[in-house]
Amino acid sequence: MKISSEADVQNKQPCKSAGVGLAGIAGLISWFDKDHLIRHSSLLMLSSLIASVLNLVFQMVMGRCLAAEEFGAVGALFGLLLMVCIPAGAIQMCMANYAATARASGGNIYMEPIVKFMLLVITPIAIITVALVLAFVHEISSSLRFSSNVPVLLVLVFLVSTLCTQVSYGVAHGLQYFGTVSLAGVMSSLARVVVAYILIVIGFRITGPLIASIIMMLIFFLITWGRVRRDVAFGLSADNGMKSFKEILSYFWPALIAFGVITVYMYFDTVLARYVFDPYKAGLYIQAGSIARIVAFIAGTILTAMFPKVVNAISKKKDCRLLFVRSMALSLVIVASISLFCCVFPSFLAKIIFKTSSAELDQLIRYSVVAFLPVPLFNLLLFFLMARRVFRFLIFELVICSIYILVLLINQPTVNQMLLAIGAFSLVAFLVALYYSFSSLSGGPGSDLDFEPKTMQN
């Protein structure tokens, strides 16, 4: 037997240490990527970055082809779009919860409860919303300083297309078909850029981006529905169909409140700015806000990947504390790094998107980014709690959000006051959600133990 010399042992020791070090790093990555959070988040992040670039190009098309007043008008319309489409987000969350729960229980995704949900819930919501907007279309157009009712009417078309899209998107989301969701996001965003540019060039100044957004929704629907229809089954019994429908419906109302709250923090100020400020100041304010919202858009990829995983874990009665920690850590890194870049290089971003920059716009960008810092983190916590079926916190969030709306409506705020209100109220909302998140994980008040999820037995 050959005995190794001391030199041989010393030469092998670094290799052994390096092996242990690499194994430790691999183990750390494997631990952090448990449930494929990083893998799926990275896929969504990549597609989101591509979609963000396309969205940036879309903003550049509007920023370079439209005057500040026109850009402000389009921004206010998009804010109105998302305010009107609040039920759409709730529908998407319901479908995702239904699909994820069925997947976790080993069941099928049945079409009958989805159709029943669409006929009994979505259709009345669409009819009521359309009727209300049509009844006050002239007043809405006048308040937003539009000379025509056409932009507001396009909002209604967008609403219908969005409601349909959220059903297929929610099922694909719940089944964790992140590749399909990513492809749909990229292709639809590309179509929006091309169509918007063509329409603006040929004269559709304000309505062009709206029409392009409607086409984007239709393309997203076709891609996602084409994927999930193969996994949707028929033939569910009447009793089980009604049971599944009731479970979907019971989740819809809390989800509606949740999406209403986050949408108000994200977009209410853009609609109000068009009404309160003069067109030029409103245009600058909305331009700055569009950059601030990029942070929330990119950070949203984490909660998109997290939501079905938490639903799956709760359905199987697994611990999801590490999943929560990883999600918060990734979100904090993303929010902090992108926000810092926006604050340090505001003029660079303004010149890329709007082809021009000014000291006033740069300052507004910095203030807007700081004011919106709590919003994406609150959004993550909101999705986390909704995935765990912790609904009690929504009462407090609804009260905080209502006070926020009243403060802005009563005081006729200045730009700085509006940004201060966004930052202060969204921070309070974040802290409340954070408290309930920790409580739910520790089994304290607001724990999901009080809200045991119902497994959908088909």
Side-chain angles (χ1 to χ4, degrees), residues 399-412:
V399 171
I400 297 168
C401 185
S402 300
I403 295 173
Y404 163 70
I405 294 174
L406 289 175
V407 167
L408 292 183
L409 289 178
I410 294 173
N411 290 335
Q412 293 284 308

Side-chain angles (χ1 to χ4, degrees), residues 92-121:
Q92 185 269 326
M93 184 179 282
C94 284
M95 292 297 103
N97 180 73
Y98 168 60
T101 304
R103 176 183 178 178
S105 62
N108 293 322
I109 309 299
Y110 284 100
M111 193 65 196
E112 283 84 347
I114 296 176
V115 171
K116 196 175 186 67
F117 182 75
M118 292 179 68
L119 291 177
L120 297 182
V121 179

Side-chain angles (χ1 to χ4, degrees), residues 336-351:
S337 57
I338 300 177
S339 298
L340 181 61
F341 180 84
C342 291
C343 289
V344 174
F345 304 104
S347 58
F348 172 74
L349 293 171
K351 288 177 181 177

Side-chain angles (χ1 to χ4, degrees), residues 389-456:
R389 289 180 172 265
V390 179
F391 301 144
R392 193 174 297 158
F393 81 107
L394 291 174
I395 299 173
F396 301 99
E397 298 294 359
L398 191 58
V399 171
I400 297 168
C401 185
S402 300
I403 295 173
Y404 163 70
I405 294 174
L406 289 175
V407 167
L408 292 183
L409 289 178
I410 294 173
N411 290 335
Q412 293 284 308
T414 63
V415 170
N416 289 339
Q417 288 172 343
M418 189 176 293
L419 291 174
L420 179 61
I422 293 171
F425 281 94
S426 62
L427 179 60
V428 174
F430 165 74
L431 293 175
V432 170
L434 186 64
Y435 167 76
Y436 272 88
S437 297
F438 283 128
S439 296
S440 73
L441 291 169
S442 62
S447 170
D448 62 309
L449 296 177
D450 299 329
F451 301 91
E452 189 69 24
K454 300 177 182 178
T455 302
M456 296 185 183

Side-chain angles (χ1 to χ4, degrees), residues 153-172:
L153 294 176
L154 286 174
V155 170
L156 297 181
V157 180
F158 183 87
L159 167 66
V160 175
S161 62
T162 301
L163 291 177
C164 295
T165 300
Q166 298 313 304
V167 175
S168 60
Y169 172 39
V171 175

Side-chain angles (χ1 to χ4, degrees), residues 28 48 103 229:
L28 180 62
S48 177
R103 176 183 178 178
R229 67 182 179 83

